[in-house]
Amino acid sequence: MNRELYGKLVFEISRPGRSAFRLPKSGVPVVADTAAAPIPAGLLRETPLDLPECDEPSLVRHYNNMSTNNFGVDTGFYPLGSCTMKHNPKINEEIASHRSFARLHPATPAKAAQGALAIYWELQRALSEIGGMAEFTLNPFAGAHGELTGLMVIRAYHDSRSDAARRKVIVPDSAHGTNPASAAVCGLEVVEVKSRPDGTVDVEDLRPLLDETVAAVMMTNPNTLGIFEKNIPEIARLAHEAGALMYYDGANLNPMLGVARPGDMGFDVMHINLHKTFSTPHGGGGPGSGPVGVRAGLERFLPSPRVTRRPDGTFSIEAPEEALGSISATLGNFAVQARALSYILSLGAGGLMEVGPLATLNANYIKESLKDCYLLPIEGVCKHEFVFDGLRDKSTGVTTLNIAKRLLDRGYHAPTIYFPLLFHESLMIEPTETESRETLDDFIAAMRDIAREAAETPDVVKNAPHNTPITHPDDTEAALHPVVTYFVPRNSDL
């Protein structure tokens, strides 16, 4: 480990006898006789813990300096395609962290948690309206968890009709990787359908795949290429005629807000990545929430527990007989739900209707400004995101990975790279609706400058990044010999 790059380790700033705190006396008497001690002698340590000893100013500076190595949407532009890494209004954070919510125990009886249950109920109603669905459950913890839950609902629906032969899920070749993974975890077989040259699902390739063994057609719209699937009504008609259901992957719902609803297109089941579309910082793997919505007639299969509203306006928690069992602890990730409802109510119907068009405008502005430098495999209007296939001039050997690393030098998080797999040098960019014209222009200028460097001084791009805490590590060595422990002994050579 290079100390100059990583900064001093906390053990290195340790000095004997220093402390950042002083605990009060516990009041528990010290037992001199080890035989009478509450902890068996065989479990007692023979040597003291080798913990760092630091004063408070040194410790605070250490962790604050380490935190500056992190990148987040609050520190810079984060054009990560397919993940909608947009600004999250701080009022939503304040509401979600309010002591009345943060200190509410999950096992609190319903009669003592009516306010929290009201939030759950109102968010269900709002998402049902936004998605064009009859009912939602907020229990799933993430998008992939929502996919699994939605597919379990579909499987339960077919089983309730004694149609157990339906064990196949049709997935486009441009799908998010979680789609086939969720189907497999649900015990279903994945069947791939091809895309047309324009990036949309090939309806003619789909037709022969639809038979009495298909449980569902699983689609994202706009798809992973940022292209609107204009043949959805025809696909839904074919699927329904074959007895299958339509599943909507809500990862790309952001550009649909105020424009179209999945339920109106013919989808029967959907999930929403609540943390992407409705305001929650979700970098680093969490927190998340993946609510699942269903059309009328499928509500009874949603998982337990359920929040229901009584005739007198109070709320209860129920477990209907036909419902799936519990798929998460209690009622899901409540803090994300509180943020989402705050976001929806603060924007209102008018504000929500501006989200999709602005996200689409920003994506097309960047695309059109860069397509003379970067290869655009699919022409035309995109929605929230688009995909370049690397540089137009590939003669210098500068790759998408090189471009992504060079962007770090310019203060931007790299976009999604090498996905989708339809193109060899995929570079997927999603600006979201919250970025200003000035931010987009600066990003465009940086991308154009990198394209110029690739042509004039390609080694500068190939050896990037140059000014990050970790510059140009040996990727193979890092994979073969990773440092997997936080503990570094004092006087270590690491």
Side-chain angles (χ1 to χ4, degrees), residues 292-414:
V292 171
V294 295
R295 64 158 170 78
L298 298 176
E299 305 97 318
R300 67 185 189 275
F301 300 113
L302 288 172
S304 294
R306 306 261 190 88
V307 174
T308 59
R309 186 176 184 177
R310 301 188 183 100
D312 64 359
T314 61
F315 301 95
S316 63
I317 300 176
E318 309 291 343
E321 184 177 342
E322 289 187 273
L324 297 177
S326 177
I327 49 90
S328 64
T330 61
L331 294 169
N333 196 336
F334 179 77
V336 180
Q337 298 161 15
R339 289 184 183 96
L341 185 60
S342 173
Y343 179 78
I344 291 170
L345 294 179
S346 61
L347 283 182
L352 285 175
M353 291 180 70
E354 295 181 15
V355 171
L358 285 175
T360 299
L361 175 64
N362 284 353
N364 281 277
Y365 179 66
I366 294 178
K367 172 176 64 70
E368 293 299 312
S369 299
L370 291 175
K371 69 179 185 179
D372 61 322
C373 301
Y374 294 86
L375 182 60
L376 183 64
I378 299 178
E379 289 281 357
V381 176
C382 67
K383 297 306 174 191
H384 63 306
E385 66 188 8
F386 60 92
V387 181
F388 285 132
D389 190 4
L391 288 162
R392 279 190 173 275
D393 180 7
K394 302 184 186 297
S395 64
T396 61
V398 172
T399 66
T400 285
L401 179 61
N402 300 145
I403 297 166
K405 289 186 176 182
R406 186 59 172 148
L407 270 173
L408 302 179
D409 285 331
R410 305 305 179 93
Y412 298 104
H413 193 284

Side-chain angles (χ1 to χ4, degrees), residues 415-431:
T416 298
I417 60 175
Y418 298 108
F419 178 80
L421 304 178
L422 297 177
F423 310 118
H424 183 62
E425 289 288 329
S426 289
L427 184 70
M428 182 191 290
I429 298 173
E430 180 187 7

Side-chain angles (χ1 to χ4, degrees), residues 222-295:
N223 62 29
T224 309
L225 300 172
I227 305 298
F228 189 85
E229 293 278 358
K230 59 183 180 297
N231 292 319
I232 286 290
E234 174 67 4
I235 292 172
R237 183 184 66 80
L238 293 173
H240 291 149
E241 287 179 355
L245 298 184
M246 290 288 290
Y247 183 95
Y248 180 82
D249 176 347
N252 293 346
L253 182 67
N254 202 57
M256 305 291 283
L257 296 183
V259 180
R261 305 192 307 175
D264 297 337
M265 300 177 198
F267 287 99
D268 305 287
V269 181
M270 68 176 292
H271 85 269
I272 295 176
N273 290 55
L274 207 62
H275 46 287
K276 293 183 182 183
T277 308
F278 297 103
S279 177
T280 286
H282 66 285
S289 179
V292 171
V294 295
R295 64 158 170 78

Side-chain angles (χ1 to χ4, degrees), residues 8-15 18-21 51-67:
K8 287 188 175 182
L9 299 167
V10 70
F11 282 94
E12 294 181 284
I13 63 175
S14 174
R15 296 294 182 273
R18 293 184 182 176
S19 175
F21 61 92
L51 296 176
E53 300 173 72
C54 305
D55 57 274
E56 183 172 317
S58 297
L59 196 63
V60 170
R61 289 167 186 161
H62 167 75
Y63 283 110
N64 274 284
N65 288 332
M66 291 292 288
S67 73

